[in-house]
Every structure is written in structure tokens, then in C-alpha cells.
């Protein structure tokens, strides 16, 4: 088992390196000058050139990648060593913005706001993760039992009803659903707030920026209640599509498993229905469901632009979207890379859970 | 079977819990109530403390930086104009500057020297008194290269301070700089000496680069000072959670507290316009900006809401590149202008918030010419012009529309489609194109776009707005005259003269003459002037929509 886990972890490294190259090239090959895009139309060329130099954008592409990965101090040292060894003239150091490189955990600063990207990530990633976790939790708690029920009661009204709900969930336009949810639950019933993560009058020590966790750590139950009230509606809206997907996937996997010989054998042995379903059928039907849950979780962790925009949720998706609009390429690089890492780890988790669910996978 | 029942009952239980949780929750607290921790113990009769008056204003986008010398976006103006103050302020619908940090001012006869007398008794939010020296700190930062914080490549994300290009005031020591000298006459008197006569200088003094900035923030936070603003304005920054909310509380040192009834302002960020409207309806916000025409129409019938309209000061237009054939032919430009049904566009796409533009400057501007009526929609006339140009069978041309929403073009593509449909009636096929906004601006400035949409929301109300489009100044200086093959000596001379005289009647006459000439040359088609709407709760009182960029909450209060 341990060897399996280590092998999977090591396999993630080249994947992430590949992602870093693709992200870097993708941003740099887009036509247009990012510095011109972020400055005023009539910015003097001298000022614009100074920014390009400060950001290292005047350097060759491979050097820029080296700076991106290892920082400008390491890149300068490497340039110096190469020149010394090859006998070429020693390069004149260029004053650029200090940057330690993503390999050392420095994503640089936003070109537009000047804020450190790591600092922005520390607030936005928890916001997105909190929302995504709540949405996935909702989707699992509703979708999976609904799928099981539909499979057990195949062909009945329960099956039809469940799959109707699942189909509605899958095909529901999030934008419309979000606005309708606010209209009903915030405007008409006043059950929940219309948006944001916390009421403006609620004080909270933001240690982890996971508001639920921060509330519990600080014993601030008022903030906990308020954060929950703010979380419910966006989580339900965001979880609607995955809920439908989970329900449909669970039903089809369960139906396939229910037709297997071992299920018939279990029933022939006189096992209780609950044991047949939970111990024999569900466990075998779970693999594809877990795969889908992993993929959906990775997708939700990468941010949900629409949900975050409608509910004023300051998460990763909205941030990335704005950065694309503003051509804030350091943020685009940083955020895309983080999203890629999340996907890789979500898939790793899925692989690990395979090993837990099905012991045969450990040896393949 | 029991455990299976447990699993299957999870959704039902969850639904019950959610419902109970929701029902048990109290409705969203009214924003004017005090926070829970402020409640007095019930056993002790306390002197009633009036609840702080808080307004939550739903904004469509968050501020980028809170540094008046380094911002180029409307969302940043919103909090910045509540934290900082300029020498003058625009606070009514006239759009004209009135005393703020300067109690009074005077200009020399040749309009080259402007003297400002600072208000006494004003302090920054950190307690530093405002005087000539502390006021000029921010001016020197932008203008004097020897200032310790002058390195814009380090302290400004724009890479330069606004002075450089915004008003062409340049740098100290540069013989061509618009601002040649800054003098500290006495503790409360300052003088700006300009290179050329400039009747507009007073208009500059209410715009952000002229706001007073406290240096203590820079001394403490250096390159992160933009997150810790120190100003002399009515409010100070209490909390800023990026893309969530930005909270301002009263500046205890402010000199004119009576003009600002609100104790606390929360700018809550909700990017989606419809969701912002719902937040106002739900009572979570008491005001909002960036209202779409559809939402304004939807809100009009709601007795709990009110809509305010800024006087229409902006313009959205279609510009022709007169150096690209066939647009170099006046008949072609006239044909396109007469084939554009502005009235129909405004009636169908602006929900009553727009007025068809007859000329480049709206009626609010001194220099607007009431005799210029634009180009009436007349397809027969348009066909006649095309025939005169030898293009009776029409032609095909690229038509670029803006990829971003602006108050004058909330949805540029839809407007472009309407115009293209009109032009198709005379045989002109417009290929609609767009691209990344940064590239769009570069391409139009480089003269690559034959026909493009653009617009303007001014910083001040003055006829010199025409300079932007028609004054013959070098490329890259903000003017669109050279990008589009417009070069008219008479217009250029008139604009130069009008920019250098104080006699307002004479200036107006010159600008009106420019309007006539421009109308004859047809460098484009002004399409619309819009009244920028805001939506407020019906309980909000005292908001004055000024015809400039930001929503200033001066005088705003909330009824109980």
C-alpha cells in the first residue's frame, strides 16, 4: 500500500512540471503586451519599458521560465555561472522585482493590485474550499442515497421521481438557480442573506480564513451561525449539478452491481437486505462514484465563477476570471497552477480511495 | 435493513435540518442596528446611545489600490473619494468645483499662476495637521523626481504617477512640463506656476492626483501604503477583505462632520448586477451602482426602492478611421451616419436611461451647440450619399465593438448589432469584431481599426473635452485625433485658443464653432448620452448624483 502511494505521489511531480510549462507558455504566447494592457492608453513608453524590465519581461522566454520557477536571484546566479564556464562576458545584473520563484513558494505580486499572490491565495483558496466542500457534502448526502434508492426501487415511482430530480439538477442553469434562490430565500422569506461570507457587523478573528473553522477555534458561535447562514444557499446552488451527477452515477453502478452473481449468492445465503445492499452491492458500486466525486470536487475547488459572482463570494474562480479580464498574467499563472495542483491532488485522493475500497488495486 | 434506512433517510433529515435552520434564523439584521456586542445590559438602565448609522452599498467591483496618485479604475475612486479630499470638490449637479481643502483661490491675469489658500484646522486621520507642506507632499511625490517616494516603478503599479499624463503636468526640471513651479507662499498658501495659460487648472484640483495624502502611511508601510491610506477625508479605512467588502468609519478628526451623516459605510462587492439588485431588495444593501438598464426598469415599479440618475455627461460613439478607404470619402461617412437610427437604439436598448447624442458633447457642457442636430435617420439620403461615392452597391467593412461594459454601452455588442442591421439596409455589410480590451485600445490608437466603438466619461465638465478627439497632439498622448485621420487646422487652432483664454463666453463660442465643423466632417457618429443610474432603498435620503465618475455619499442618511 505504501509503495503504491509513493509511486502515485512521485508520478504527480512530472505532471506538475508539465503543467507549469504549459501554463507559462500559454500566458506568454497570447498576443499583446500585458504591460500595455494594464497601463493607461497614453502611458509614456519610457514608463512602460521600465515596468517590463522590472518584471523581467524583456528577457528571453527560457530565462523568464527559469525566473518563474526558481526566482530571479537563482536565475541571475545561473546566468553568471554559465557565462563564467563558457567564457562569455559576465552579464550585467538587472534590477528587477525580488522574486523567489514558484518552486520556493513565491508566486510574485499581482501586476494590477500589487498584492502578493500568496497572500491573496491565503484568503481566496479557503473561501473556495469552504464553499466547495459544503457543496460536495450536500451533493453526496443527497445524491448518493437518492441513487441507491432509485436502484433498489427500480422501475417504481420512487425511481422515476429520483431520476427526475437528478436530471433537473444536472440540467439546471446555475445562474438562474442562484438568482431564484436569492429571490425566494433572501428577498421573500428572509431565511438567509443574499450573499457574502459573513455579515458586515460580525467580528471574527480570521486565522485560517476558513470562516467556519475560525469561528469554532475562537469559540465565536455568533460568527459560526452567521457564516453557516451565508454558506447554505451558495452551497446548495453549487451542489445541485454534482448532486444530480452523483445520483445518476450511483444508480447505474448500483444496478450493474445488483445483477452480479455475488449479490444473488448473498441473497441466497439469506442475508438481510441492508447487508446485501451496503456490504456487497454498494461497496462494489462505489468505484465509479468515487471517481466522479473526485473529479467534481477538483472542479469545484478550482472555483465557480458564476456562483461566486452571484453570491459575492471572494473565491478563486472570480479572482482568476478578473485576472484574465485585466491580463494580470502573474495571477493567471499562479492561480492556474494552484488549480492544477488541486486537480492532481484530487485525482491522487481518488486513487488512494480506490486502494481503500478495492484491495486488488494496490497490486496493479 | 435498519442501517440501510439510516442511509436512505439522510436526504430527508438534511432537508428537515436545513428547513428548521432557515426558519429559525432571524431575518437579516437591519444594517442600522448596533452590533450584538454593543447591547447594554438589560438590568441597568443605560443612557440611550443612538445606533450608528451604517450604510451598506453594493458595488460591482472592488477597489484595486487606495492611492490617489496611482489609480486608474472607477471602483477605486469610490472609497478613495471618501478617504481623501482635493483642493476643491464637485458636490452638485452642476459638476463645477467648489471649496474643499482650499477655502478660496485666485488666478493671475495670464492664467499661468494659481494660488490656493488652504483651510485651517484640518488634520489627517493620523492627527498630522494639514498645511502647505503636508499638502504638497503628495504633489511633490508625483512631480519632483528627487522626492523619496518619487520612484513610480516601485510605488505605482501603473508605472508612473497620474500627474505625468493625466494633466500633462510633467516633472520638475523638464522645460516642457505643464507645471513649472510649486511655491509654498506661507503656512497655508500654495502657488502653482504653469508653463502655459490654462483656464482649466481649477478643474484639475478636484481630481484624485490633487488629493492630500498623509506621508506616515508610506513611512510605515512603504510599498504597501496603498492598503493603509491616510487622508483628510470624512472616513478612514477600518477593514478591507478583498473582493468581499471594504469598511469605512468616520474620521474623528474630520472638519465638516455635519455634511456626512453616515457613521459607517460598507462597500460590499457583488459582481453580478442582478444579484446586487436582489441584495438591495433583501435589505442587505441600501444602495448599488453599475445598474443595468433592465434592472433599472425592473426596480422602477418597486415602492421600496428609488432610482437616482446622474445628469448625462458621458458619450458613447462610433468613430471612423478617415485614413482608411472608403471612409476617407465624406459621402461614405455621411451615408453611414444617416443610416444609423440612434433614436431606435436608445428606445430599444437603454430602457429610458439614454438620450440620442446629436453631437460629441452633451447639453451639460459649456460649448455644446444647440444648433447642431447631428444626422437624422434617413435611408434614402444615405443611399444617395453612397451613390455619390460610387458605392451604390454597398461595401463590406470591419466594425469593432468594445469587449467591456461601460455606462454608455452596457452591452456594446447588442448596440453594434443594431447599427450593423441599419447599415445593411443600404448595402453596407459590417463584420462585427472584437478582441481583448487592452489590445483593442492599442489597435485603435495605432489606427488599425477602420470603425470602432468607444466612449468617454469625463473627469470635469468643460468644453475642452473636445481636445480628446480633435486636437492635433502626438499619438500616445490620449488624443484620438491622429489615430483616425482627423487633421483639421481650423479645429486645432480653435481648440488651442480656447484652452488658453479665461473669457468663458469667448471659449464657449469657439467650442460651438468646433462642434459645427466636426459635424460637417463626420469623424464618427455620436450615439448616446446616458444617465447613469443608482438604486437605493426608499429609506435613503440626501444622495446627490453628480455628473462625474463616482457615487459620493455626502449628505446621505437612512430614515428609521
Amino acid at each position: 500500500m505504501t509503495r503504491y502511494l509513493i509511486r502515485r505521489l512521485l508520478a504527480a511531480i512530472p505532471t506538475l512540471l508539465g503543467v507549469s510549462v504549459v501554463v507559462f507558455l500559454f500566458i506568454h504566447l497570447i498576443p499583446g503586451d500585458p504591460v500595455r494592457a494594464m497601463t493607461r492608453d497614453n502611458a509614456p513608453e519610457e514608463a512602460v519599458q521600465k515596468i517590463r524590465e522590472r518584471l523581467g519581461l524583456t528577457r528571453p522566454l527560457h530565462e523568464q521560465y527559469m525566473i518563474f520557477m526558481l526566482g530571479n536571484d537563482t536565475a541571475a546566479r545561473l546566468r553568471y555561472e554559465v557565462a563564467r564556464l563558457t567564457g562569455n562576458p559576465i552579464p550585467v545584473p538587472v534590477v528587477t522585482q525580488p522574486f523567489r520563484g514558484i518552486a520556493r513558494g513565491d508566486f510574485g505580486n499581482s501586476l494590477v493590485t500589487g498584492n502578493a499572490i500568496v497572500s491573496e491565495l491565503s484568503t481566496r483558496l479557503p473561501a473556495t474550499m469552504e464553499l466547495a466542500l459544503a457543496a460536495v457534502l450536500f451533493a453526496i448526502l443527497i445524491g448518493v442515497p437518492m441513487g441507491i434508492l432509485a436502484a433498489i426501487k427500480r422501475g417504481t415511482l420512487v425511481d422515476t421521481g429520483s431520476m427526475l430530480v437528478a436530471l433537473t439538477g444536472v440540467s439546471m442553469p446555475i445562474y438562474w438557480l442562484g438568482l431564484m434562490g436569492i429571490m425566494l430565500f433572501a428577498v421573500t422569506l428572509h431565511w438567509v442573506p443574499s450573499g457574502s461570507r459573513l455579515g458586515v457587523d460580525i467580528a471574527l478573528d480570521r486565522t485560517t480564513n476558513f470562516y467556519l473553522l475560525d469561528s469554532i477555534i475562537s469559540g465565536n458561535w455568533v460568527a459560526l451561525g452567521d457564516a453557516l447562514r451565508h454558506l447554505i444557499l451558495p452551497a446548495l446552488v453549487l451542489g445541485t449539478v454534482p448532486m444530480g451527477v452523483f445520483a445518476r452515477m450511483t444508480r447505474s453502478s448500483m444496478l450493474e452491481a445488483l445483477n452480479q452473481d455475488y449479490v444473488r449468492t448473498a441473497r441466497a445465503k439469506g442475508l438481510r437486505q441492508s447487508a446485501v445492499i451496503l456490504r456487497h452491492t454498494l461497496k462494489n458500486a462505489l468505484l465509479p462514484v468515487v471517481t466522479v466525486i473526485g473529479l467534481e470536487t477538483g472542479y469545484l475547488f478550482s472555483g465557480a465563477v458564476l456562483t461566486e459572482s452571484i453570491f459575492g463570494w471572494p473565491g478563486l474562480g472570480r479572482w482568476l476570471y478578473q485576472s484574465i479580464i485585466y491580463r494580470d498574467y502573474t495571477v493567471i499563472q499562479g492561480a492556474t497552477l494552484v488549480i492544477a495542483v488541486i486537480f492532481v491532488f484530487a485525482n491522487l485522493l481518488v486513487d488512494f480511495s480506490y486502494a481503500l475500497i478495492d484491495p486488488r488495486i494496490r497490486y496493479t | 435493513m435498519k442501517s440501510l434506512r439510516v442511509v436512505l433517510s439522510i436526504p430527508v433529515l438534511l432537508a428537515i435540518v436545513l428547513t428548521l435552520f432557515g426558519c429559525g434564523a432571524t431575518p437579516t439584521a437591519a444594517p442600522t442596528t448596533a452590533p450584538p456586542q454593543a447591547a447594554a445590559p438589560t438590568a441597568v438602565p443605560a443612557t440611550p446611545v443612538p445606533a450608528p448609522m451604517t450604510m451598506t452599498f453594493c458595488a460591482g467591483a472592488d477597489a484595486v489600490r487606495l492611492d490617489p496618485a496611482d489609480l486608474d479604475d472607477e471602483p477605486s475612486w469610490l472609497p478613495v473619494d471618501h478617504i481623501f479630499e482635493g483642493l476643491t470638490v464637485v458636490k452638485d449637479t452642476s459638476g463645477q468645483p467648489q471649496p474643499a481643502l482650499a477655502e478660496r483661490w485666485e488666478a493671475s491675469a495670464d492664467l499661468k499662476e494659481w494660488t490656493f489658500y488652504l483651510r485651517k484646522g484640518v488634520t489627517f486621520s493620523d492627527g498630522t495637521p494639514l498645511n502647505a507642506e503636508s499638502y504638497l507632499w503628495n504633489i511633490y511625490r508625483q512631480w519632483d523626481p528627487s522626492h523619496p517616494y518619487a520612484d513610480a516603478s516601485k510605488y505605482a503599479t501603473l508605472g508612473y504617477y497620474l500627474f505625468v499624463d493625466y494633466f500633462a503636468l510633467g516633472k520638475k526640471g523638464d522645460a516642457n512640463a505643464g507645471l513649472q513651479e510649486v511655491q509654498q507662499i506661507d503656512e497655508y498658501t500654495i502657488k502653482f506656476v504653469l508653463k502655459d495659460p490654462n483656464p482649466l487648472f481649477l478643474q484639475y484640483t478636484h481630481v484624485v492626483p490633487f488629493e492630500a495624502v498623509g506621508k506616515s502611511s508610506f513611512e510605515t508601510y512603504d510599498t504597501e501604503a496603498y492598503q493603509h491610506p491616510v487622508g483628510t477625508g470624512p472616513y478612514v479605512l477600518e477593514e478591507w477583505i478583498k473582493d468581499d467588502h471594504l469598511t469605512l468609519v468616520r474620521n474623528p478628526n474630520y472638519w465638516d462632520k455635519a455634511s456626512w451623516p453616515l457613521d459607517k459605510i460598507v462597500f460590499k462587492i457583488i459582481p453580478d448586477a442582478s444579484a446586487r439588485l436582489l441584495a438591495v431588495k433583501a435589505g442587505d444593501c441600501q444602495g448599488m451602482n453599475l445598474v443595468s438598464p433592465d434592472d433599472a426598469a425592473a426596480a422602477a415599479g418597486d415602492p421600496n426602492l428609488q432610482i437616482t440618475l446622474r445628469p448625462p455627461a458621458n458619450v458613447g460613439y462610433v468613430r471612423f478611421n478617415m485614413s482608411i478607404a472608403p471612409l476617407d470619402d465624406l459621402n461614405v461617412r455621411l451615408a453611414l451616419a444617416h443610416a444609423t437610427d440612434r433614436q431606435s437604439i436608445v428606445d430599444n436598448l437603454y430602457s429610458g436611461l439614454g438620450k440620442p447624442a446629436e453631437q460629441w458633447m452633451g447639453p451639460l457642457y459649456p460649448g455644446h451647440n444647440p444648433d447642431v442636430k447631428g444626422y437624422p435617420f434617413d435611408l434614402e439620403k444615405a443611399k444617395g450619399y453612397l451613390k455619390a461615392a460610387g458605392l451604390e452597391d454597398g461595401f463590406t467593412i470591419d466594425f469593432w465593438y468594445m469587449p467591456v461594459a461601460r455606462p454608455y454601452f452596457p452591452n456594446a455588442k447588442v448596440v453594434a448589432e443594431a447599427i450593423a442591421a441599419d447599415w445593411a439596409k443600404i448595402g453596407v455589410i459590417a463584420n462585427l469584431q472584437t478582441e481583448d480590451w487592452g489590445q483593442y485600445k492599442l489597435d485603435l490608437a495605432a489606427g488599425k481599426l477602420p470603425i470602432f466603438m468607444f466612449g468617454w466619461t469625463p473627469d470635469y465638465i468643460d468644453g475642452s473635452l473636445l481636445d480628446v478627439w480633435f486636437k492635433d497632439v502626438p499619438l500616445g498622448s490620449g488624443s484620438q485625433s491622429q489615430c483616425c485621420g482627423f487633421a483639421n487646422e481650423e479645429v486645432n487652432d480653435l481648440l488651442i485658443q480656447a484652452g488658453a483664454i479665461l473669457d468663458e463666453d469667448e471659449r464657449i463660442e469657439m467650442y460651438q464653432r468646433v462642434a459645427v465643423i466636426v459635424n460637417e466632417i463626420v469623424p464618427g457618429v455620436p450615439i448616446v448620452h446616458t444617465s447613469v443610474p443608482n438604486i437605493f432603498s426608499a429609506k435613503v435620503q440626501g444622495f446627490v448624483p453628480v455628473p462625474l465618475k463616482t457615487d459620493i455619499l455626502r449628505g446621505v442618511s437612512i430614515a428609521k
Side-chain angles (χ1 to χ4, degrees):
Chain A
M1 176 73 173
T2 314
R3 280 183 59 195
Y4 169 76
L5 295 183
I6 291 170
R7 214 168 54 228
R8 298 296 298 121
L9 273 174
L10 289 176
I13 294 172
T15 311
L16 290 175
L17 269 176
V19 167
S20 77
V21 173
V22 171
V23 167
F24 177 83
L25 285 179
F26 188 68
I27 297 299
H28 283 75
L29 294 179
I30 294 174
D33 178 352
V35 179
R36 267 289 170 199
M38 79 188 204
T39 52
R40 288 175 72 86
D41 311 346
N42 42 354
E45 180 56 30
E46 189 190 341
V48 173
Q49 183 60 16
K50 216 169 169 182
I51 300 177
R52 287 193 199 106
E53 282 168 13
R54 184 169 58 97
L55 298 170
L57 295 175
T58 49
R59 307 214 142 265
L61 208 56
H62 67 276
E63 262 188 48
Q64 287 189 46
Y65 178 72
M66 204 156 63
I67 295 171
F68 171 60
M69 289 302 289
L70 303 171
N72 43 22
D73 54 341
T74 313
R77 204 161 53 239
L78 282 172
R79 266 201 312 277
Y80 171 80
E81 292 297 337
V82 169
R84 198 171 58 83
L85 291 172
T86 54
N88 288 331
I90 303 293
V92 180
V94 178
V95 179
T96 52
Q97 190 167 295
F99 175 53
R100 291 166 51 76
I102 55 160
R104 288 191 279 176
D106 184 356
F107 286 76
N109 291 55
S110 157
L111 295 185
V112 175
T113 66
N115 295 347
I117 291 170
V118 170
S119 145
E120 294 252 8
L121 275 171
S122 72
T123 61
R124 292 170 196 272
L125 196 55
T128 288
M129 289 179 82
E130 198 166 76
L131 177 60
L133 278 175
V136 169
L137 195 67
F138 158 74
I140 292 173
L141 290 179
I142 302 290
V144 174
M146 202 157 75
I148 297 171
L149 194 66
I152 297 170
K153 307 278 183 188
R154 186 186 182 185
T156 67
L157 207 58
V158 174
D159 181 21
T160 313
S162 301
M163 285 307 102
L164 195 66
V165 172
L167 188 65
T168 311
V170 171
S171 42
M172 188 67 77
I174 289 291
Y175 183 76
W176 180 86
L177 185 67
L179 290 181
M180 289 302 111
I182 296 174
M183 183 83 92
L184 178 63
F185 295 110
V187 178
T188 308
L189 299 171
H190 289 286
W191 285 6
V192 291
S194 57
S196 192
R197 291 184 75 191
L198 202 64
V200 292
D201 283 333
I202 304 292
L204 175 66
D205 288 334
R206 295 173 175 88
T207 317
T208 64
N209 284 315
F210 287 91
Y211 284 6
L212 298 183
L213 194 61
D214 286 339
S215 312
I216 293 167
I217 290 170
S218 57
N220 187 342
W221 309 120
V222 175
L224 180 66
D226 194 66
L228 271 171
R229 286 197 332 115
H230 280 81
L231 181 63
I232 285 177
L233 191 54
L236 293 191
V237 169
L238 187 61
T240 304
V241 172
M243 179 271 290
V245 174
F246 297 167
R248 287 160 66 89
M249 183 54 78
T250 308
R251 178 181 179 272
S252 69
S253 287
M254 282 289 291
L255 285 178
E256 201 180 323
L258 281 168
N259 286 329
Q260 298 297 320
D261 290 345
Y262 58 79
V263 173
R264 199 177 325 118
T265 309
R267 284 201 170 120
K269 278 185 352 189
L271 288 180
R272 284 177 299 141
Q273 171 77 339
S274 61
V276 173
I277 298 296
L278 290 179
R279 206 177 305 151
H280 295 273
T281 320
L282 183 60
K283 203 169 175 186
N284 283 291
L286 265 183
L287 275 188
V289 178
V290 167
T291 308
V292 173
I293 289 175
L295 287 174
E296 286 285 343
T297 307
Y299 169 71
L300 293 181
F301 273 15
S302 65
V305 178
L306 279 179
T307 311
E308 290 178 358
S309 296
I310 295 167
F311 290 97
W313 200 269
L316 207 57
R318 226 174 93 191
W319 188 43
L320 184 58
Y321 175 74
Q322 285 167 1
S323 309
I324 292 167
I325 299 282
Y326 284 112
R327 295 285 295 277
D328 192 349
Y329 86 96
T330 49
V331 171
I332 301 173
Q333 279 178 173
T336 314
L337 207 61
V338 167
I339 287 169
V341 170
I342 290 170
F343 260 96
V344 168
F345 277 93
N347 278 299
L348 272 179
L349 280 178
V350 170
D351 287 353
F352 296 160
S353 58
Y354 282 170
L356 288 176
I357 296 166
D358 188 346
R360 288 168 300 180
I361 288 177
R362 296 169 207 179
Y363 308 110
T364 55
Chain B
M1 194 66 191
K2 196 177 164 190
S3 49
L4 182 61
R5 278 197 193 120
V6 171
V7 172
L8 296 179
S9 63
I10 286 173
V12 181
L13 283 171
L14 192 66
I16 292 170
V17 168
L18 287 177
T19 310
L20 286 175
F21 191 86
C23 292
T26 51
T28 311
T32 49
T33 55
Q37 59 267 36
T42 48
V44 183
T47 313
V49 178
M53 193 188 288
T54 301
M55 178 175 198
T56 305
F57 186 90
C58 273
D62 199 0
V64 175
R65 292 169 73 87
L66 303 179
D67 179 356
D70 177 34
L71 55 86
D72 188 29
D73 60 301
E74 291 185 32
S76 296
W77 283 47
L78 188 59
V80 159
D81 276 348
H82 290 84
I83 297 171
F84 300 94
E85 274 182 314
L87 290 172
T88 60
V89 64
V90 168
K91 56 184 180 185
D92 61 27
T93 50
S94 74
Q96 294 306 312
Q98 294 169 45
L101 291 180
E103 279 181 315
R104 60 194 173 87
W105 51 84
E106 58 199 34
S108 63
D110 65 358
L111 294 174
K112 284 186 173 181
E113 295 183 5
W114 290 80
T115 307
F116 292 84
Y117 300 91
L118 297 179
R119 189 179 297 279
K120 291 171 184 158
V122 177
T123 55
F124 286 90
S125 57
D126 65 355
T128 309
L130 178 93
N131 52 32
E133 188 187 347
S134 57
Y135 172 76
L136 288 176
W137 185 87
N138 187 41
I139 301 295
Y140 282 125
R141 176 167 69 117
Q142 301 175 71
W143 175 69
D144 182 354
S146 67
H147 191 277
Y149 296 94
D151 183 1
S153 72
K154 180 178 176 187
Y155 292 101
T157 49
L158 297 176
Y160 58 94
Y161 288 123
L162 283 181
F163 252 34
V164 175
D165 80 309
Y166 212 76
F167 304 121
L169 295 179
K171 290 283 183 188
K172 185 182 178 184
D174 177 357
N176 292 319
L179 179 61
Q180 282 295 309
E181 211 177 317
V182 178
Q183 296 171 5
Q184 196 174 316
I185 306 294
D186 63 34
E187 197 182 351
Y188 290 100
T189 310
I190 54 178
K191 184 190 275 187
F192 297 95
V193 181
L194 310 178
K195 178 174 175 278
D196 299 312
N198 189 348
L200 270 183
F201 188 76
L202 183 64
Q203 296 281 0
Y204 300 170
T205 58
H206 70 79
V207 187
V208 281
F210 277 86
E211 290 178 335
V213 175
K215 66 176 178 180
S216 65
S217 169
F218 282 79
E219 287 166 348
T220 310
Y221 297 103
D222 198 53
T223 54
E224 289 184 357
Y226 68 90
Q227 294 178 18
H228 306 276
V230 171
T232 61
Y235 297 96
V236 293
L237 179 67
E238 184 186 63
E239 184 176 58
W240 187 11
I241 306 288
K242 276 293 288 175
D243 279 343
D244 189 272
H245 70 274
L246 188 150
T247 304
L248 304 180
V249 292
R250 270 188 186 286
N251 175 0
N253 302 325
Y254 191 59
W255 56 277
D256 183 23
K257 285 180 191 159
S259 296
W260 301 84
L262 294 171
D263 295 301
K264 190 172 181 178
I265 301 170
V266 180
F267 294 113
K268 186 172 174 178
I269 315 304
I270 300 181
D272 185 79
S274 301
R276 277 199 299 286
L277 176 60
L278 289 177
V280 179
K281 281 176 170 248
D284 293 340
C285 295
Q286 289 77 53
M288 66 175 277
N289 64 5
L290 298 178
V291 179
S292 72
D294 288 346
D295 285 340
D302 190 331
N304 296 316
L305 303 177
Q306 54 178 315
I307 299 175
T308 61
L309 297 175
R310 287 192 217 166
N314 59 23
V315 63
Y317 56 85
V318 171
R319 186 91 198 242
F320 302 137
N321 189 332
M322 293 163 54
S323 54
I324 294 178
L327 299 165
D328 52 352
D329 187 330
L330 174 64
N331 283 315
V332 172
R333 300 197 299 274
L334 277 166
L336 295 178
H338 281 287
T340 306
D341 191 353
R342 292 163 298 139
Q343 188 67 54
S344 163
I345 290 169
V346 169
D347 288 347
N348 294 310
L349 303 177
Y350 283 85
S351 302
L353 298 176
K355 282 177 64 178
E358 293 175 337
Q359 54 192 290
W360 293 76
M361 288 196 307
L364 205 62
Y365 287 81
H368 170 88
N369 190 333
D371 297 331
V372 173
K373 296 294 180 193
Y375 316 98
F377 179 59
D378 187 336
L379 290 177
E380 289 312 311
K381 208 170 179 177
K383 284 176 186 166
Y385 282 123
L386 269 192
K387 194 173 180 185
L391 290 167
E392 56 265 50
D393 294 334
F395 59 93
T396 300
I397 196 159
D398 284 349
F399 180 151
W400 293 75
Y401 65 88
M402 296 159 59
V404 293
R406 290 290 183 268
Y408 38 83
F409 288 137
N411 188 338
K413 187 181 180 188
V414 173
V415 176
E417 285 168 349
I419 294 170
D422 284 341
W423 291 356
K425 292 171 191 163
I426 57 166
V428 175
I429 307 302
N431 286 330
L432 297 187
Q433 311 270 359
T434 195
E435 61 183 335
D436 168 81
W437 181 227
Q439 196 61 37
Y440 185 95
K441 289 189 285 183
L442 290 177
D443 284 348
L444 78 85
K448 291 181 184 170
L449 312 184
I451 301 178
F452 61 87
M453 292 170 81
F454 212 77
W456 212 267
T457 301
D459 294 325
Y460 41 81
I461 305 297
D462 189 85
S464 60
L465 176 64
L466 290 170
D467 291 4
V468 169
W469 303 299
F470 309 121
K471 196 170 171 181
D472 194 11
V473 288
L475 267 178
S477 56
S479 167
Q480 280 184 6
S481 61
Q482 293 205 352
C483 74
C484 309
F486 183 94
N488 185 287
E489 211 170 306
E490 189 184 356
V491 166
N492 196 46
D493 288 346
L494 282 166
L495 291 174
I496 290 170
Q497 286 173 46
I501 53 173
L502 190 57
D503 185 323
E504 195 57 19
D505 292 340
E506 215 177 326
R507 290 185 75 219
I508 288 174
E509 208 174 295
M510 289 175 174
Y511 288 130
Q512 288 184 333
R513 174 77 191 127
V514 171
V516 172
I517 301 170
V518 165
N519 192 59
E520 287 165 359
I521 295 174
V522 202
V525 189
I527 302 290
V528 66
H529 304 295
T530 60
S531 296
V532 178
N534 284 97
I535 294 176
F536 288 97
S537 150
K539 289 181 178 177
V540 172
Q541 302 164 339
F543 177 75
V544 178
V546 296
L548 298 169
K549 281 181 176 172
T550 46
D551 303 310
I552 308 294
L553 300 177
R554 173 193 296 273
V556 169
S557 62
I558 299 170
K560 299 285 179 196

